[in-house]
Amino acid sequence: MGALSRVAAGVVAAGGVLREEIWERLATVPDPRSPRGRVYPLPCLLAVWLCALSAAGHDAACAVGQWVARASPAELTRLRLPFDPFTGRHRIPDETTLRRLLARVDRDALAAALLGDTALAPADGLPAAVAVDGKTSRGARRPDGTQVHLLGVATHGTGLLAGQVEVDAKSNETAAFQPLLGGLDLAGVTVTFDAMHTVRANLDWLVTVKNAHYVAVVKANQPLLRARLARLPWADVPTAEVTRDHGHGRDETRTLKVATVGFLGFPHAAQAVRIIRWRRVKGRNPSRETVYLITDHPAETASPALLAAHARRHWHVENKVHYVRDVSFGEDASTLRTGNIPANLATLRSSIINRLRRAGYRFIPPGRRDHTTPTAAINLHGFP
């Protein structure tokens, strides 16, 4: 896989990855520093962070400083770092400069610049769909002791993060739902999410304002709706799909039924889904879980097989984004916590994951190992 991925990355680079718009995107991020005494343009420092974090083993601010110090004059020129005519050398930012900057950069602007080019397109022969899910940065705490919590949206199938916002310490994910999706073109796209976001305002907004579709999980936070779903005559509904998985000492059977509804009292709900999961883990007693979902998709546009695929692929945001940031980048172990650093680091890591997946890498660790040199990392992100 590594050899194939390197070939794929080379082909992409030769075919136009080197693109001027990467600098234009970084230039849209407002500079929080005073113009007086400013040595390094903001896009240059962001480019250093992005390329250095791409290299395996460079997960801390001190490692980023070491990475740029090892870059050659030609590589520093591509990063557009200022050249000092008196010394005949490029000026190189130190760790303190890099860390202080990232703490002050606007987290929403950086996310828009680096993640905003993600296409919400069909994948694996299925219609376009995205998943919304939250993640806590366990090693980072705010001055008041609360943990930093981020809400992201990722594509089904490809697992590319398309946007991210930080959830305010005095709020919750539900309040961040519309700000997260507001800037995305969701026309015709199906949005999947957990029960926390299954509220009337969000569902109605998705359909009427964003022209999107939804597949929403229903749990105890909506007791009346869940009771209505449980009372449906499921015994009379034929089983639409049965899937079985086996691996890692676990057996799981999922039985799915779909019913057309028109009386649930929730905006635009057209179909209800019941999934029964039977799970047996080695050394434990078997367990049974019943999950209910609702969707605005009528039966004509969403078959039981498609709804089952949406339910399964919702977890791509966890498996292909959040888990990778924890395992490959050590996100939960990172204690960098000043200002906007946790959110901005998460954005940078997600942007790197996106670029590596587009370059043909199925697994991120080999991709990072293939881009340990500055030239390889600069090429990956397309800096001319």
Side-chain angles (χ1 to χ4, degrees):
M1 180 61 198
L4 291 174
S5 298
R6 284 191 291 273
V7 172
V11 170
V12 173
V17 165
L18 302 182
R19 50 196 170 88
E20 196 69 28
E21 59 262 30
I22 183 64
W23 287 115
E24 297 173 0
R25 283 188 168 277
L26 293 179
T28 63
V29 180
D31 196 328
R33 302 169 296 170
S34 169
R36 293 188 60 186
R38 187 185 299 172
V39 176
Y40 304 100
L42 176 65
C44 302
L45 298 179
L46 294 177
V48 169
W49 268 107
L50 189 62
C51 293
L53 287 174
S54 301
H58 295 73
D59 299 326
C62 59
V64 174
Q66 291 174 317
W67 180 92
V68 70
R70 292 194 300 268
S72 68
E75 292 161 342
L76 295 174
T77 299
R78 291 182 64 185
L79 291 170
R80 297 188 179 180
L81 288 169
F83 184 80
D84 189 339
F86 296 102
T87 63
R89 298 178 180 178
H90 289 85
R91 301 193 66 168
I92 298 177
D94 59 16
E95 172 196 346
T96 302
T97 299
L98 292 164
R99 188 174 63 251
R100 286 177 177 172
L101 172 83
L102 202 63
R104 298 177 60 191
V105 167
D106 184 277
R107 55 184 183 254
D108 295 331
L110 184 64
L114 293 181
L115 306 176
D117 62 342
T118 302
L120 308 183
D124 303 328
L126 297 176
V130 295
V132 175
D133 193 40
K135 181 186 183 299
T136 299
S137 298
R138 303 190 184 281
R141 293 185 180 274
R142 302 183 179 96
D144 61 359
T146 59
Q147 290 182 309
V148 175
H149 191 77
L150 305 169
L151 185 66
V153 54
T155 57
H156 283 203
T158 54
L160 304 179
L161 198 72
Q164 176 178 269
V165 296
E166 182 175 335
V167 179
D168 188 81
K170 297 181 179 180
S171 184
N172 56 36
E173 285 188 15
T174 304
F177 185 84
Q178 294 186 23
L180 170 68
L181 300 177
L184 300 179
D185 181 5
L186 295 175
V189 177
T190 298
V191 184
T192 63
F193 41 87
D194 203 356
M196 181 179 296
H197 304 291
T198 305
V199 296
R200 287 178 172 83
N202 285 344
L203 304 190
D204 187 57
W205 176 80
L206 279 175
V207 175
T208 60
V209 177
K210 302 300 291 182
N211 297 315
H213 301 286
Y214 66 80
V215 175
V217 176
V218 178
K219 292 184 179 178
N221 63 322
Q222 294 289 348
L224 294 179
L225 176 59
R226 194 180 191 284
R228 291 192 188 107
L229 293 172
R231 288 197 299 267
L232 291 176
W234 292 108
D236 301 329
V237 178
T239 298
E241 183 178 84
V242 177
T243 58
R244 295 178 175 87
D245 290 328
H246 172 76
H248 305 287
R250 182 185 69 183
D251 295 302
E252 183 171 296
T253 301
R254 292 181 294 271
T255 303
L256 179 139
K257 292 185 175 184
V258 180
T260 299
V261 294
F263 49 86
L264 292 179
F266 253 69
H268 315 287
Q271 293 192 90
V273 182
R274 189 189 73 174
I275 301 174
I276 296 180
R277 298 191 182 112
W278 291 90
R279 183 176 300 172
R280 182 174 61 188
V281 180
K282 186 176 181 179
R284 301 182 184 178
N285 293 327
S287 62
R288 179 182 184 272
E289 179 187 20
T290 301
V291 179
Y292 295 104
L293 304 95
I294 57 172
T295 179
D296 70 305
H297 275 294
E300 293 77 16
T301 63
S303 65
L306 178 59
L307 294 176
H310 285 324
R312 288 193 305 269
R313 289 154 66 94
H314 171 75
W315 298 109
H316 286 179
V317 64
E318 175 67 32
N319 299 334
K320 297 187 176 185
V321 181
H322 297 164
Y323 178 79
V324 174
R325 292 208 316 243
D326 283 341
V327 174
S328 297
F329 292 88
E331 182 164 291
D332 275 355
S334 175
T335 56
L336 288 170
R337 63 188 71 183
T338 306
N340 293 335
I341 283 184
N344 287 335
L345 276 178
T347 294
L348 290 166
R349 292 165 182 146
S350 296
S351 179
I352 293 165
I353 293 170
N354 287 359
R355 293 304 304 171
L356 288 172
R357 294 202 189 281
R358 288 168 178 161
Y361 288 91
R362 181 181 177 187
F363 301 107
I364 301 305
R368 296 187 72 197
R369 290 194 293 269
D370 279 348
H371 295 86
T372 52
T373 65
T375 293
I378 292 169
N379 287 345
L380 173 69
H381 295 285
F383 292 101

